[in-house]
Amino acid sequence: MPYAEVSVNSPAAGRSAYSYELPAGLTVRPGQAVLVPFGPRVLQGIVVEVSETPRFDDTRQLSGIIDPPLCLTPQQLTVGMWISRHYLAPLFPSLALWLPPGFERSAESVFTRSGLDIGEIPLSDLESNFLATLDTRVPTDQKTLEKRFGKVAAQKAIRHLLGHGLIERRYRLQAIKVKPRLEKIAHLRIDTEKAQQAAAGLLKRSPKQSAVLRFLANSRGRLSVTEIRREFGEVNAILSALVNKKLIEISMEESRRNPRLPAAVELPMAHTLTPAQSAAVSVVTAGIDEAKGEAFLLHGVTGSGKTEVYLHAANYALKQGKQVVVLVPEISLTHQIIERFTARFPGRVAVLHSKLSLGERFDQWRGIAEGDYDIVIGPRSALFAPFTNPGLIVIDEEHEWAYKQQDTPPLYHAREVARRLALETGAALLLGSATPDIETYNKAERGEYRLLELPDRLTPHPSAPLPPVTLIDMRDELKSGNLSIFSRKLKAEMESALKNGEQVILFFNRRGGATFIQCRDCGEVLKCRHCRLPLGFHPVENRLVCHHCNAQYRVPTVCPVCKGSRIKFIGLGTQKLEEETKKEFSGARVLRWDSDAARGKDSGYQIFDDFRAGKADILIGTQVVARGLDLPRVGLVGVINADTALNLPDFRAGERTFQLLLQVAGRAGRGEFPGRVVVQSYQPSHYAIAAAVAHDFKTFYQKELEYRKILGYPPFNKLAVLTVQHLNEADGLQLAHDLKKTLELERDSTGVSGIEFIGPAPAFIPRRRGKYRWQVIVKGRNIVEFLSKTNLSSSIGVDIDPLGLD
Ligand code: ADP
Ligand code: ZN
């Protein structure tokens, strides 16, 4: 008798699958979405394996297949199971990444009448009535029956009738909340080539009809009337005329809720590639042909033409009948790449992102599954688009932290999952960045990824150099009596830029704001004596804490290095900066773009569009402005506080700072004005700052690698963070101590070597939702293997390959 091993949608199921007996006559495949009894309820599940013998005795019967049937592909199943294993994450959520939006719902019972004759079976009036309302084919759900006959009576009748085999019970998912919507659609009645000819013919006599016809032909011959109206205004008369000419027809169809896409500003013209681009494209297309899941790292400064390489590689994959996934760190910040894809491949691009409504997401998902689109662009979750034959996976700005899932398990990293998916499906994986992740670059160095380089910047002035960067030591400003946020140099540069009609970006690093203590005279940041990491300042207790080893220090009144008394924490926000800027540059129009200002659904686009359209002179922004925006009128970029992020208690602080500075600097000089950058810092000699100012990735990489090696950080070791939470601070700490001790005993008794446990220490956010959070850091080579063998309680948070140690 066949059995199915099923991953069940219940928090109690954890990382395990459960064995179920298949009812006679039912066959299922691995990957199939099913319903199974679990405790007193019937829950969703996914079959991970079908076998002749159950893994556990004492199995229950599988309830049935979810209707309409849905089955993960073998590749999807394999990748989902890998996610659960590698990230020590519960199994169902790891597999559910592949399910359509809104799929996770509870099941309800539905009933049909069986073929059995009533014969001698004694039935009450209510039961006869009950039976008469049921059809033999169309099922009725239990809720409806309970409404009609009363809850208790209906349940009693169900038991009785089921017992006699007069009715049959099945399970189906509760009605989905997203319903298809109807909409007017215009179709071509002739092929697109003929339509172009017809449009040319109409050009003289009826230019509007010609334009609409061409628009339809360019959109693969099918568009909603709403979309046409958006482009041309009122079009009813024009459409009727085209219908009368038998060129198009109009019908009511299920609509796909189309999310607002940024207007295409670039013509879909393909550039002639530079030799470096050509070389990169041909290596990647060979990878697409070989279909071995090879990975490539495309390293090139901003503006070196990486996106153009993605577009050409994508074009090639599409020509081979394959599909393309493009991951971007955050949709609202990267709409230029979307514009370029939608302009180059009109009608073929689906855009997924978290701000879409459930209905919009469902429609996009279904459109992808039904083959309406062959390119999907989106954040990390777009990796799980239902493509059957992906040929290329692009990850733009691969170093960005947004690719790691935070908070809700599985805490996966899209780059690592994409690597698995590529190996399973044979798709080529193309990672692009101006400032690759240290670990990624190290893999490229060791040959695991193939390194492709674009050495030159392609600005409107050919081979324009990277903008010159001036580094200002803010300690000197203080010494000469300038207490302003702006150094004298930055102020002067801003004044001349504004006079010149150039736009200015002021970058403010929000991360690490008021979390550390720094001497304003010598720039010294207080660090832990043992760990050399900056100490976190806890204002409530007024003490300094090492987030690594939990050593505690009093807040000193004088600087331990220079004995100066201006030791204070840095606390400046974007709003304060906005005020100061308006005060200093009174005639200038100032826009602020941070996560507060960009909270609305489209306001991210709005601020950006306004600035690009020249509606402001100065844009003040946090991390968001550092990303790939093409702003041709920006001549000057000022970095207000280059080093605040260096002082975070995190081994990646240097890398983050370097990446940000280089990206911000890349915003200047992309258009008509030669760019220049002014960087203000209290630690100008730190290697991350010095290398960023010199636009020197290689030097930074070497220094950073040395540092990581000395301290045993990735890529030399793997890390995991285990987090314990408790309402009581001391009890939480005790739990964390116990956890560490248990793990140490386990390590010593199994003879595993090279694994070390650090802490416990308060988490970077030491208290969340009323609970104290303590963490133990696990460092070593085979930590996943080790941890998966230990019996970690499900209440412990596990983060494998954490990004920040926070
Ligand atoms: P990146 O993605 O590395 O920032 P882009 O692909 O956006 O670089 O290219 C930078 C600019 O150069 C864009 O405006 C793009 O249109 C242009 N560009 C890219 N490739 C070429 C090329 N081969 N010839 C001319 N211009 C190009
Ligand atoms: Zn310490």
Side-chain angles (χ1 to χ4, degrees):
M1 187 182 295
Y3 293 85
E5 303 294 326
V6 179
S7 160
V8 184
N9 186 5
S10 160
R15 286 190 276 136
S16 321
Y18 293 79
S19 305
Y20 289 90
E21 190 186 319
L22 288 178
L26 185 71
T27 51
V28 296
R29 287 183 292 157
Q32 187 101 44
V34 293
L35 291 166
V36 291
F38 194 76
R41 301 196 296 151
V42 170
L43 299 177
Q44 292 175 315
I46 292 171
V47 175
V48 297
E49 205 185 317
V50 179
S51 61
E52 280 307 311
T53 44
R55 187 119 17 112
F56 302 93
D57 322 329
D58 197 19
T59 55
R60 295 167 78 181
Q61 247 194 17
L62 195 131
S63 311
I65 283 175
I66 289 183
D67 199 48
L70 187 129
C71 192
L72 305 190
T73 65
Q75 292 85 3
Q76 292 172 341
L77 188 59
T78 307
V79 171
M81 291 172 70
W82 178 85
I83 291 172
S84 170
R85 273 199 315 277
H86 183 80
Y87 293 101
L88 299 176
L91 185 54
F92 190 86
S94 304
L95 299 173
L97 293 165
W98 298 104
L99 297 177
F103 185 85
E104 285 188 58
R105 285 164 285 150
S106 42
E108 61 185 2
S109 302
V110 295
F111 299 92
T112 47
R113 193 178 166 155
S114 72
L116 204 68
D117 238 15
I118 299 176
E120 299 297 294
I121 302 166
L123 293 183
S124 69
D125 285 355
L126 185 135
E127 284 162 355
S128 305
N129 235 332
F130 190 102
L131 198 57
T133 60
L134 293 183
D135 189 82
T136 50
R137 280 176 310 124
V138 184
T140 312
D141 61 277
Q142 182 159 347
K143 279 238 177 65
T144 309
L145 292 164
E146 286 178 358
K147 241 183 238 152
R148 181 160 328 156
F149 297 100
K151 195 165 176 172
V152 178
Q155 288 176 359
K156 199 169 151 223
I158 289 169
R159 269 197 304 277
H160 191 215
L161 295 169
L162 270 179
H164 286 290
L166 288 170
I167 62 172
E168 281 167 3
R169 186 214 300 262
R170 274 184 292 152
Y171 297 93
R172 81 174 171 209
L173 296 183
Q174 274 171 4
I176 191 161
K177 284 156 260 160
V178 284
K179 291 216 181 71
R181 197 177 56 176
L182 290 178
E183 193 180 31
K184 251 194 206 164
I185 304 289
H187 293 269
L188 285 182
R189 291 183 64 177
I190 49 181
D191 67 34
T192 51
E193 214 166 289
K194 290 226 178 73
Q196 296 283 13
Q197 288 165 9
L202 283 169
L203 193 56
K204 279 251 169 64
R205 269 175 300 136
S206 332
K208 277 198 176 153
Q209 290 178 30
S210 167
V212 170
L213 198 59
R214 197 157 359 97
F215 189 56
L216 254 174
N218 287 338
S219 312
R220 298 212 289 178
R222 180 189 186 282
L223 270 180
S224 75
V225 172
T226 320
E227 278 168 287
I228 300 174
R229 194 172 290 134
R230 201 179 292 150
E231 193 68 22
F232 297 97
E234 197 38 67
V235 284
N236 283 348
I238 301 169
L239 292 176
S240 311
L242 291 170
V243 169
N244 288 338
K245 293 198 169 92
K246 299 211 169 18
L247 294 170
I248 68 168
E249 60 191 359
I250 309 271
S251 57
M252 293 302 284
E253 286 179 20
E254 257 184 39
S255 89
R256 298 281 152 80
R257 281 152 276 229
N258 264 324
R260 182 196 156 193
L261 289 180
V265 291
E266 186 177 329
L267 289 171
M269 182 188 68
H271 295 290
T272 314
L273 296 179
T274 64
Q277 285 174 318
S278 266
V281 169
S282 58
V283 171
V284 176
T285 54
I288 294 170
D289 279 339
E290 273 169 33
K292 292 214 182 97
E294 212 182 329
F296 306 92
L297 170 59
L298 183 61
H299 178 209
V301 296
T302 27
S304 61
K306 295 185 294 295
T307 309
E308 205 55 45
V309 172
Y310 307 156
L311 288 162
H312 277 78
N315 190 37
Y316 184 83
L318 296 183
K319 285 232 174 81
Q320 313 305 308
K322 298 182 177 183
Q323 298 130 358
V324 177
V325 177
V326 180
L327 300 189
V328 292
E330 210 178 318
I331 282 284
S332 63
L333 310 175
T334 39
H335 71 314
Q336 279 175 339
I337 189 167
I338 301 173
E339 285 173 3
R340 288 169 70 179
F341 271 88
T342 48
R344 199 75 58 92
F345 306 104
R348 305 178 75 166
V349 182
V351 177
L352 297 174
H353 61 88
S354 56
K355 280 184 183 165
L356 298 181
S357 69
L358 183 60
E360 288 171 332
R361 268 188 290 151
F362 178 75
D363 286 353
Q364 293 282 43
W365 193 94
R366 196 176 46 165
I368 297 164
E370 289 173 2
D372 291 356
Y373 306 106
D374 35 27
I375 302 177
V376 61
I377 304 184
R380 58 174 186 266
S381 57
L383 190 56
F384 303 98
F387 280 148
T388 47
N389 187 21
L392 175 70
I393 303 168
V394 174
I395 304 186
D396 188 36
E397 312 282 1
E398 65 85 29
H399 61 276
E400 283 286 347
W401 285 25
Y403 288 123
K404 170 100 183 186
Q405 166 112 328
Q406 308 281 359
D407 294 333
T408 330
L411 304 183
Y412 68 90
H413 196 298
R415 193 203 304 121
E416 304 312 313
V417 178
R419 180 86 175 118
R420 299 315 307 177
L421 184 61
L423 289 171
E424 286 300 320
T425 59
L429 173 61
L430 179 55
L431 310 171
S433 177
T435 52
D437 187 274
I438 293 293
E439 289 158 70
T440 302
Y441 198 81
N442 187 251
K443 281 186 181 151
E445 233 187 7
R446 290 182 297 132
E448 193 177 332
Y449 298 159
R450 193 149 160 200
L451 183 62
L452 308 170
E453 306 214 57
L454 298 180
D456 302 313
R457 212 178 187 217
L458 308 169
T459 47
H461 323 285
S463 76
L466 285 158
V469 181
T470 314
L471 183 57
I472 304 296
D473 188 338
M474 289 306 277
R475 295 168 302 184
D476 294 344
E477 296 293 311
L478 281 171
K479 276 182 205 138
S480 48
N482 176 17
L483 295 173
S484 154
I485 297 170
F486 302 99
S487 61
R488 291 158 296 178
K489 170 77 175 169
L490 179 56
K491 184 152 187 268
E493 286 285 355
M494 284 175 72
E495 275 160 359
S496 81
L498 293 172
K499 205 153 63 192
N500 202 15
E502 298 171 53
Q503 286 182 311
V504 176
I505 290 180
L506 289 181
F507 172 71
F508 175 77
N509 199 346
R510 167 120 83 186
R511 275 183 65 87
T515 57
F516 58 92
I517 297 235
Q518 183 177 40
C519 171
R520 282 195 86 178
D521 288 328
C522 73
E524 173 72 10
V525 169
L526 299 183
K527 298 205 177 70
C528 175
R529 266 184 233 118
H530 317 292
C531 307
R532 292 206 268 149
L533 283 169
L535 293 168
F537 175 60
H538 291 227
V540 180
E541 299 90 351
N542 193 33
R543 66 183 177 199
L544 294 162
V545 180
C546 173
H547 286 270
H548 220 62
C549 72
N550 201 27
Q552 316 244 342
Y553 302 82
R554 253 187 308 181
V555 181
T557 48
V558 294
C559 170
V561 173
C562 75
K563 309 292 175 216
S565 60
R566 278 192 288 191
I567 184 145
K568 57 170 269 189
F569 60 90
I570 312 278
L572 170 74
T574 37
Q575 292 185 18
K576 179 95 185 348
L577 176 59
E578 186 182 5
E579 280 167 31
E580 295 288 315
T581 309
K582 283 180 173 158
K583 235 190 293 172
E584 292 270 359
F585 308 92
S586 52
R589 296 163 302 165
V590 180
L591 263 182
R592 175 165 60 89
W593 187 4
D594 55 18
S595 44
D596 293 337
R599 192 144 297 153
K601 191 165 171 175
D602 290 324
S603 59
Y605 291 160
Q606 202 50 56
I607 298 170
F608 172 77
D609 287 343
D610 285 353
F611 189 63
R612 189 158 64 172
K615 291 186 190 163
D617 308 303
I618 301 175
L619 177 66
I620 292 175
T622 53
Q623 273 65 346
V624 290
V625 303
R627 310 256 165 76
L629 306 178
D630 210 343
L631 296 164
R633 298 182 54 78
V634 172
L636 173 68
V637 170
V639 178
I640 299 295
N641 54 347
D643 39 40
T644 41
L646 279 180
N647 303 309
L648 286 165
D650 179 354
F651 75 92
R652 284 200 175 85
E655 180 174 14
R656 282 282 281 171
T657 299
F658 176 81
Q659 289 168 347
L660 267 172
L661 287 180
L662 223 64
Q663 295 214 313
V664 178
R667 298 301 111 222
R670 299 200 55 159
E672 35 191 304
F673 301 106
R676 59 223 180 274
V677 181
V678 176
V679 174
Q680 305 188 151
S681 169
Y682 283 95
Q683 287 155 271
S685 54
H686 189 287
Y687 66 88
I689 306 241
V693 164
H695 295 290
D696 187 351
F697 176 80
K698 294 265 163 62
T699 301
F700 170 72
Y701 170 75
Q702 298 301 349
K703 289 256 166 66
E704 180 69 15
L705 209 62
E706 271 167 42
Y707 159 80
R708 302 263 184 111
K709 189 164 193 175
I710 292 167
L711 295 176
Y713 283 127
F716 300 98
N717 272 312
K718 256 178 114 65
L719 289 180
V721 173
L722 308 179
T723 309
V724 175
Q725 307 197 29
H726 202 284
L727 284 168
N728 180 290
E729 190 172 10
D731 290 351
L733 178 58
Q734 189 55 47
L735 275 180
H737 271 299
D738 294 347
L739 171 66
K740 182 178 172 189
K741 205 165 290 158
T742 313
L743 290 174
E744 278 169 348
L745 282 175
E746 184 109 9
R747 171 194 63 191
D748 298 341
S749 72
T750 50
V752 183
S753 64
I755 293 184
E756 149 183 33
F757 306 98
I758 304 157
F764 183 67
I765 300 165
R767 201 168 169 205
R768 192 187 277 167
R769 291 182 207 110
K771 286 189 173 168
Y772 290 90
R773 305 168 74 235
W774 294 93
Q775 52 188 216
V776 173
I777 295 167
V778 187
K779 188 156 125 183
R781 280 252 144 225
N782 301 313
I783 58 172
V784 173
E785 203 186 350
F786 170 76
L787 288 173
S788 64
K789 285 185 192 138
T790 62
N791 203 0
L792 285 180
S793 145
S794 60
S795 64
I796 295 168
V798 183
D799 190 356
I800 305 287
D801 307 331
L803 275 188
L805 283 183
D806 57 16

